[in-house]
């Protein structure tokens, strides 16, 4: 008997309703987009709205979903950059920053090593000469004590510096494990800085991702030109170290004269009242690295330049036991308590960190400026008119594809082809509804994936209908023929779509940018196609058959 349990019918139609409801906002794209922007701005302003924002919010009912399919660079227009990070710059900066520590370590054994002098060398190597060559072993031991374990999974058990002697000089350079960890941190830091700069400009759904070993892909829809994007990326973040007055959960509290109230970046609902005048700024910070404290717990070590070291040392000496705030872009990212006087410009931030958290905090502390120069290998600007042309072309291709498929199905299978075409409509709404909910970005190759899905969607119905035709030839009743048609075609449908889904997954894993966009829409389309062909079409057939009870059917 041709039957579908009630719970399964409810689930099928509920999923179809989900697709329709979450697709509807995309039909009013500009209104919903303005509504979402206004809601985000009002939320950021703690509920204070301008008349223009109230008008924009009123354009779309708050009880309806407002999720939209994000448009990629090729559909909205914008700027595309491919940048290469000069990681070698960081090696030189690390070597320069360790020289004062090396000099101080050798001064402690001056009686045995004599005078100390830095020798000319390539930027990534430190060469130090001593006036008493017979004290080289003592000098090496003193300098080697400065080396610390590499903070990375792959470099576990190794030191961050290689310290050797060529007979006359001490030679210090980063170890291979530390170079690899430094490269990773430099790219991560650059990504964080770029993302903060781009997000601060209020752009929508930028693509900022690592590509290869030392390159970063930056795609920002809606921005005017590649030169504007380069200028935006070059902006320096504002990093300050400020005294903490108190903590509060009231965002509207009165901070008092010469004070400011800032939110915590890691504790939602928490605010810090800080003194507006910083003790030191990010311009005084020369380095911040993940490390371990005396109890071998993850921590973050930092170093200031001579000016910052003096100011920070004086402040810590007079404020032991008091917290101070590390403020990045008007957010308090950490507020450690000063445990002791911190002279010499070096310090350590401790807390309940994991290795990953200490690495992230070190990245944020260094995020005041790009860690290394970036060379832009590729620049491209896509105008909004070209993006609109792409949208129009994609829409036309989708409409033509669907029209031809529907016409072919109706011509080939009559009423059954019509029911399959209705299921195809639900298939498209499910694709767009899913893209809206997960916040996926739709690109021109993504539209190609949808068009391909429309063509593939009826394959399953063709298999089912042909099986029904064969069963009808065996003189079975129409109900039994339909039931057997769906049952016997199921394995072929699953096999064909699983192989295509595997290809989509591989494309997503090894591809980048547009290829991933194609893979996402193709994978979602395969899932929705199987669902609509096996369940939605069958549900429609069951409803029709239950009402008409035909004695014979033609497929």
């Amino acid at each position: 008997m041709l039957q579908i349990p009630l719970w399964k019918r409810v689930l099928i139609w509920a999923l179809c309703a989900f697709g329709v409801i979450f697709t509807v906002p995309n039909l009013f794209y500009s209104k919903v987009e303005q509504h979402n922007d206004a809601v985000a701005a009002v939320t950021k302003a703690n509920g204070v709205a301008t008349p223009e924002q109230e008008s924009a919010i009123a354009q779309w009912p708050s009880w309806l979903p407002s999720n939209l399919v994000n448009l990629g660079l090729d559909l909205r227009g914008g700027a595309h950059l491919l940048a290469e990070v000069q990681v070698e710059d960081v090696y030189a900066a690390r070597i320069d920053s360790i020289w004062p520590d090396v000099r101080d370590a050798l001064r402690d054994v001056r009686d045995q090593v004599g005078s100390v002098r830095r020798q000319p060398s390539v930027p990534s190597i430190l060469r130090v000469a001593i006036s008493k060559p017979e004290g080289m072993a003592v000098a090496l031991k003193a300098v080697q004590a400065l080396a610390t374990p590499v903070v990375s999974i792959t470099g576990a058990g190794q030191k961050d510096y290689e310290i050797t002697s060529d007979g006359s000089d001490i030679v210090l350079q980063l170890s291979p494990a530390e170079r690899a960890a430094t490269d990773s941190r430099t790219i991560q830091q650059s990504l964080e800085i770029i993302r903060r700069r781009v997000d601060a400009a209020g752009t929508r759904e930028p693509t900022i991702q690592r590509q290869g070993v030392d390159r970063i892909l930056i795609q920002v829809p809606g921005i005017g030109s590649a030169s504007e994007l380069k200028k935006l990326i070059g902006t320096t973040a504002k990093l300050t170290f400020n005294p903490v007055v108190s903590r509060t959960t009231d965002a509207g509290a009165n901070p008092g004269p010469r004070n400011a109230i800032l939110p915590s970046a890691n504790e939602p609902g928490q605010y810090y009242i800080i003194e507006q005048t910083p003790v030191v700024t990010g311009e005084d910070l020369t380095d911040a690295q993940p490390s371990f404290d005396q109890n071998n717990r993850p921590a973050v070590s930092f170093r200031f330049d001579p000016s910052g070291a003096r100011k920070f040392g004086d402040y810590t000496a007079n404020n032991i036991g008091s917290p101070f705030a590390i403020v990045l872009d008007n957010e308090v990212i950490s507020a450690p308590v000063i445990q002791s006087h911190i002279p010499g410009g070096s310090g350590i931030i401790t807390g309940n960190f994991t290795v990953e958290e200490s690495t992230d905090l070190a990245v944020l502390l260094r995020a005041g400026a790009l860690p290394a120069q970036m060379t832009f290998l590729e620049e491209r600007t896509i105008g909004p008119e070209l993006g609109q042309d792409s949208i129009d072309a994609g829409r036309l291709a989708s409409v033509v594809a669907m029209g031809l498929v529907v016409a072919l199905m109706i011509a080939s299978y009559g009423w059954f082809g019509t029911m399959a075409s209705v299921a195809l409509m639900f298939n498209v709404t499910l694709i767009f509804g899913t893209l809206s909910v997960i916040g996926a970005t739709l690109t021109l190759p993504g539209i190609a994936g949808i068009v391909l899905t429309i063509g593939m969607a009826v394959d399953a119905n063709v298999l089912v209908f042909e099986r029904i035709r064969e069963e009808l030839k065996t003189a079975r009743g129409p109900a039994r023929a339909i039931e057997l048609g769906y049952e016997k075609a199921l394995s072929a449908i699953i096999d064909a779509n699983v192989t295509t889904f595997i290809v989509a997954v591989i494309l997503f894993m090894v591809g980048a940018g547009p290829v991933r966009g194609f893979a996402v829409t193709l994978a979602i389309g395969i899932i929705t196609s199987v669902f609509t062909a096996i369940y939605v079409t069958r549900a429609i057939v069951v409803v029709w058959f239950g009402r008409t009870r035909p004695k014979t059917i033609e497929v």
Side-chain angles (χ1 to χ4, degrees):
M1 191 66 182
L2 189 60
Q3 286 289 343
I4 298 179
L6 178 61
W7 68 268
K8 192 175 290 187
R9 293 191 194 190
V10 172
L11 181 60
I12 291 170
W13 295 120
L15 289 175
C16 290
F18 157 86
V20 172
I21 292 171
F22 282 92
T23 298
V24 167
N26 295 283
L27 303 177
F28 307 91
Y29 202 95
S30 59
K31 287 185 177 181
V32 180
E33 191 173 55
Q34 292 172 13
H35 166 88
N36 292 346
D37 290 346
V39 169
V42 170
T43 302
K44 192 173 182 179
N46 296 317
V48 179
T50 64
E52 292 79 9
Q53 290 170 338
E54 291 178 350
S55 176
I57 292 174
Q59 290 187 65
W60 186 252
S62 58
W63 51 271
L64 278 177
S66 59
N67 306 67
L68 290 173
V69 177
N70 300 307
L71 299 181
L73 186 70
D74 48 2
L75 298 182
R76 184 183 289 277
H80 165 104
L81 294 175
L82 180 62
E84 184 178 58
V85 181
Q86 306 300 320
V87 292
E88 295 81 4
D89 294 351
V90 182
Y91 303 159
R94 287 285 301 276
I95 294 300
D96 286 339
S97 68
I98 197 65
W99 160 239
D101 293 337
V102 173
R103 182 183 57 206
D104 293 343
L106 293 176
R107 279 177 180 172
D108 293 339
V109 290
R110 182 179 299 173
D111 294 342
Q112 301 176 65
V113 303
S115 61
V116 178
R117 186 174 66 258
R118 183 174 182 176
Q119 299 290 84
S121 179
V122 297
S124 59
I125 295 178
L126 174 65
R127 302 182 71 90
V128 181
I130 58 176
S131 60
K132 295 181 179 180
E134 63 274 13
M136 182 60 72
V138 175
L140 278 176
K141 185 177 180 180
V143 177
Q144 286 171 349
L146 299 174
T148 58
V150 175
V151 184
S152 72
I153 297 175
T154 56
Q158 302 184 52
K159 297 291 187 179
D160 55 356
Y161 291 105
E162 284 186 351
I163 303 165
T164 58
S165 171
D166 62 0
S168 59
D169 296 338
I170 299 171
V171 180
L172 183 147
Q173 59 184 331
L174 294 176
S175 66
E178 181 63 18
R179 284 177 179 250
T182 299
D183 290 351
S184 179
R185 288 196 294 264
T186 301
I187 299 297
Q188 183 184 357
Q189 180 183 350
S190 299
L191 285 169
E192 179 67 27
I193 296 166
I194 293 170
R195 185 171 288 111
R196 281 178 170 269
R197 299 277 64 75
V198 171
D199 288 347
T203 55
R204 296 185 181 89
E205 296 301 322
T207 298
I208 304 170
Q209 61 189 26
R210 183 172 182 172
Q211 194 168 81
V213 177
D214 57 0
R215 294 181 179 181
I216 297 176
L217 175 67
I218 310 157
Q219 294 181 333
V220 184
I223 203 164
S225 65
S227 59
E228 183 181 342
L229 178 57
K230 287 167 65 177
K231 183 179 179 182
L232 177 65
I233 291 171
T235 305
T236 301
K238 186 179 180 182
L239 175 69
T240 59
F241 293 73
N242 301 66
V244 174
V245 177
S246 63
R247 288 180 57 168
T248 181
T249 57
D250 182 8
N254 181 15
R258 301 297 302 163
N259 293 336
I261 182 167
L262 297 179
S264 170
N266 303 314
E267 303 169 283
Q270 290 292 326
Y271 297 85
Y272 287 86
I273 296 177
I274 64 170
E275 295 182 14
Q276 285 185 345
T277 303
V279 177
V280 285
T281 68
E283 296 177 358
D284 301 310
L285 190 71
T286 59
D287 194 22
Q289 300 291 336
S291 61
F292 296 93
D293 62 13
Q294 64 271 21
N295 297 316
N296 206 34
R297 293 175 302 189
V300 176
S301 58
F302 57 88
R303 181 181 290 110
F304 291 110
D305 61 18
S307 174
R310 185 181 64 256
K311 291 183 288 187
F312 191 69
D314 293 343
Y315 177 78
T316 56
N318 298 323
N319 293 273
I320 294 175
S322 301
F324 72 100
I326 302 170
V327 181
L328 182 64
D329 286 345
N330 293 320
E331 284 187 333
V332 178
I333 61 172
S334 181
V337 175
I338 300 170
Q339 303 291 345
S340 61
H341 174 217
I342 307 176
S346 297
I348 188 168
I349 301 173
T350 59
N352 295 320
F353 299 136
T354 63
V355 171
E356 183 180 357
E357 288 170 343
S358 67
T359 302
D360 291 343
L361 180 56
V363 168
L364 289 173
L365 288 176
R366 298 193 306 267
L370 289 169
Q373 182 181 355
M374 290 198 305
T375 302
F376 293 101
L377 307 177
E378 188 178 320
E379 302 178 24
R380 194 161 67 242
T381 301
I382 300 174
E385 295 82 7
L386 183 59
Q388 186 60 47
D389 289 344
S390 300
I391 293 175
D392 295 340
R395 184 184 294 120
L396 178 62
S398 302
V399 170
V400 170
M402 181 170 290
L404 291 175
V405 168
V406 168
L408 180 63
M409 289 299 292
I410 293 175
S412 300
Y413 299 105
W415 176 241
F416 278 79
T418 303
M419 291 187 284
S421 299
V422 173
L424 181 60
M425 305 295 181
F426 282 117
N427 182 23
V428 175
T429 62
L430 282 170
I431 293 174
F432 277 95
T434 304
L435 290 173
S436 299
V437 169
I438 66 175
T441 299
L442 182 65
T443 60
L444 194 57
I447 293 178
I450 293 175
V451 174
L452 177 61
T453 299
I454 292 172
M456 295 169 54
V458 293
D459 285 354
N461 287 314
V462 169
L463 290 172
V464 171
F465 295 161
E466 291 299 328
R467 292 297 307 186
I468 293 175
R469 277 180 174 175
E470 292 179 6
E471 295 301 326
L472 287 172
K473 292 177 182 177
T474 61
R476 298 181 186 274
R480 184 59 179 162
I482 294 173
E483 189 173 16
L484 289 175
Y486 276 97
E487 288 179 3
K488 293 185 176 181
L490 182 62
S491 61
I493 294 171
I494 297 297
D495 288 346
N497 285 278
V498 164
T499 53
T500 310
F501 185 81
I502 292 172
V503 172
V505 172
I506 294 172
L507 284 174
F508 182 83
M509 293 175 63
V510 304
V515 175
R516 281 193 164 194
F518 174 80
V520 167
T521 54
L522 180 61
I524 293 173
I526 290 169
I527 295 171
T528 58
S529 296
V530 172
F531 171 74
T532 53
I534 296 176
Y535 295 105
V536 177
T537 307
R538 185 171 184 174
I540 296 173
V541 170
V542 167
V543 171
W544 165 76
F545 194 89
R547 291 188 175 183
T548 59
R549 295 288 179 179
K551 299 297 182 184
T552 60
I553 58 172
E554 267 191 53
V555 180

